Amino acid sequence: MQNQSGKKQLIVITGPTAVGKTDLCIRLAKEFSTVILSADSRQFYQQMSIGTAKPGKEELAAVPHYFIGQLSIDAYYNVSMFEQQAMDLLDDLFQKHERIILTGGSGLYIDALCNGVDNFPDIDPEVRLKLKNDFAERGIEWLRDYLKQLDPEYYNIVDIHNPNRMTRAIEVCLATKKPYSQQRFGVKKTRPFEILRIALNRPREILFERIHQRTNAMIDEGLVEEVRSLLDYRHLNALNTVGYKEIFAYLDGEWTLEQAIEKIKTNTRRYAKRQITWFKRTPDYHWMHPDEYQNILDLIKQTCDA
RNA sequence: GGUACCAUAGCUCAGUAGGUAGAGCAACGGACUGAAAAUCCGUGUGUCCCUGGUUCGAUUCCGGGUGGUACCA
């Protein structure tokens, strides 16, 4: 079953939201009697199920899943923690499996596991909070000036319209007392396993139709109630999420339910577009249609049995 | 059936004192290293309903047609 190098294989199955990743992965996992790791930054949260289109009970029972619902809604989490935990877990799981499936739509998380991310110290949450407040009070010019002073090199390449990017750089500078740009290496880490990257896609029109249908299904399954039960946590980052923020606006009386549903569909379409843009820049992806099961199977076997 | 008003981008609409047109939303393209379903940047994609007339030139003015809306019958 192993390839020439004797390495195990991580099969990455990604693609835009609603393309059909879950169904395909369940089928593949059964075929290879293996397990599924999720790289979906919102399905991590225990209390977010309907709105994140988590795999259903039957699916979770059929194949062991990891990184689904392992976090409480108020837990802090980041991509570096994911990299570490997933690497540790893979180390263990590859003892028993030749192939393991990684699926999900969070491109940053997938890339962190495949390529690694640079090492930065943990940042005191108070620092970020203070920067956030200062920015709200003093505006983006202040943020720019601050960054320019701490790290002129990064200032020159950063998107100076993007507060999140600049805030991140500043907090690293403050925590390390060194410019952020001098700690960004972007070196690709080598992994002790082979990685096969597959990106699923469908004609745009069809994808959008699926988003439309799936959003309606979420409402039928009780999305409004799920969101209502999370009202106390609405300020948390985890809930700054398509499908949740729109329903909050409905519960606030800002939009009708119909308006909120339309907004969810629109924002989901945009999210799907951003995902596709992200995946396109990694040339390793084999772009496949989710229905090409045999071709996907052949690709996996070919890569591994070669 | 009559009268009035309307017909411009995917949608809602603005505009052109006659020189082939522009906003919002949608859409499309892009960026991305601990917030990533986040955050941010860029792009107008058009038989100006059809058809005659006037004019060097009509989306714009005039006539007719078609469709829609409102009111009157």
Side-chain angles (χ1 to χ4, degrees):
Chain A
M1 273 302 249
Q2 289 188 0
N3 59 16
Q4 295 148 323
S5 58
K7 283 182 182 170
K8 308 278 177 149
Q9 184 187 35
L10 182 69
I11 305 164
V12 178
I13 309 273
T14 190
T17 191
V19 78
K21 296 186 288 295
T22 304
D23 289 350
L24 176 69
C25 288
I26 296 284
R27 202 170 162 192
L28 288 172
K30 284 181 177 168
E31 177 94 31
F32 294 115
S33 303
T34 190
V35 302
I36 296 176
L37 264 62
S38 168
D40 186 307
S41 70
R42 293 303 189 264
Q43 289 184 5
F44 293 159
Y45 294 97
Q46 194 192 327
Q47 296 91 334
M48 300 168 71
S49 295
I50 298 172
T52 60
K54 263 185 199 161
K57 267 188 189 150
E58 282 180 25
E59 293 166 317
L60 292 174
V63 175
H65 281 72
Y66 298 86
F67 296 110
I68 298 273
Q70 86 279 17
L71 295 179
S72 180
I73 191 82
D74 53 352
Y76 174 73
Y77 203 65
N78 65 47
V79 68
S80 177
M81 292 162 74
F82 175 76
E83 180 197 0
Q84 232 163 42
Q85 292 170 4
M87 284 302 292
D88 288 348
L89 183 63
L90 283 178
D91 190 41
D92 187 41
L93 290 171
F94 272 133
Q95 305 291 322
K96 289 167 267 178
H97 300 284
E98 295 303 316
R99 300 179 169 100
I100 289 172
I101 295 168
L102 175 74
T103 190
S106 303
L108 178 67
Y109 283 70
I110 291 170
D111 289 351
L113 184 53
C114 293
N115 303 328
V117 288
D118 287 322
N119 261 324
F120 295 103
D122 291 334
I123 308 292
D124 181 356
E126 290 300 313
V127 174
R128 176 175 292 185
L129 190 63
K130 184 170 187 317
L131 283 171
K132 200 175 163 183
N133 290 338
D134 284 351
F135 161 62
E137 226 171 88
R138 309 184 194 192
I140 197 149
E141 275 303 331
W142 172 81
L143 212 53
R144 287 173 187 163
D145 290 345
Y146 200 4
L147 176 62
K148 202 171 187 173
Q149 174 199 329
L150 291 168
D151 189 350
E153 194 180 322
Y154 188 66
Y155 177 85
N156 283 330
I157 59 165
V158 74
D159 175 1
I160 58 164
H161 298 283
N162 191 326
N164 285 11
R165 286 282 132 68
M166 292 194 286
T167 304
R168 169 63 185 158
I170 291 170
E171 68 185 18
V172 172
C173 293
L174 293 174
T176 59
K177 311 252 192 289
K178 282 191 295 191
Y180 178 58
S181 55
Q182 284 177 24
Q183 304 171 71
R184 288 171 93 233
F185 302 110
V187 175
K188 194 173 167 178
K189 295 178 187 166
T190 53
R191 298 306 196 194
F193 44 79
E194 298 255 303
I195 298 172
L196 172 65
R197 294 213 200 206
I198 295 171
L200 304 176
N201 207 177
R202 295 174 184 269
R204 195 62 67 95
E205 219 178 293
I206 307 280
L207 183 67
F208 284 9
E209 176 58 25
R210 288 173 63 95
I211 287 170
H212 174 81
Q213 299 294 347
R214 196 183 64 177
T215 305
N216 291 345
M218 285 177 178
I219 294 294
D220 292 344
E221 286 163 33
L223 179 61
V224 173
E225 283 318 304
E226 177 169 291
V227 177
R228 200 194 305 274
S229 75
L230 294 169
L231 267 170
D232 289 348
Y233 303 100
R234 62 185 298 176
H235 59 283
L236 295 170
N237 176 59
L239 289 168
N240 182 193
T241 298
V242 175
Y244 293 81
K245 49 189 174 186
E246 298 85 355
I247 299 296
F248 284 137
Y250 158 64
L251 294 173
D252 287 343
E254 206 175 305
W255 291 333
T256 65
L257 184 58
E258 286 65 35
Q259 286 175 313
I261 292 169
E262 280 315 302
K263 286 281 190 182
I264 291 174
K265 289 172 184 171
T266 299
N267 289 333
T268 304
R269 288 195 294 268
R270 296 219 265 227
Y271 169 48
K273 251 163 58 65
R274 271 179 275 132
Q275 290 176 298
I276 292 167
T277 300
W278 179 285
F279 304 136
K280 275 199 285 196
R281 74 174 182 168
T282 303
D284 304 358
Y285 278 114
H286 295 82
W287 288 86
M288 312 288 284
H289 190 288
D291 294 344
E292 291 182 81
Y293 186 69
Q294 193 56 49
N295 289 339
I296 292 170
L297 217 51
D298 290 347
L299 178 66
I300 293 170
K301 289 181 172 170
Q302 172 193 25
T303 316
C304 207
D305 295 337

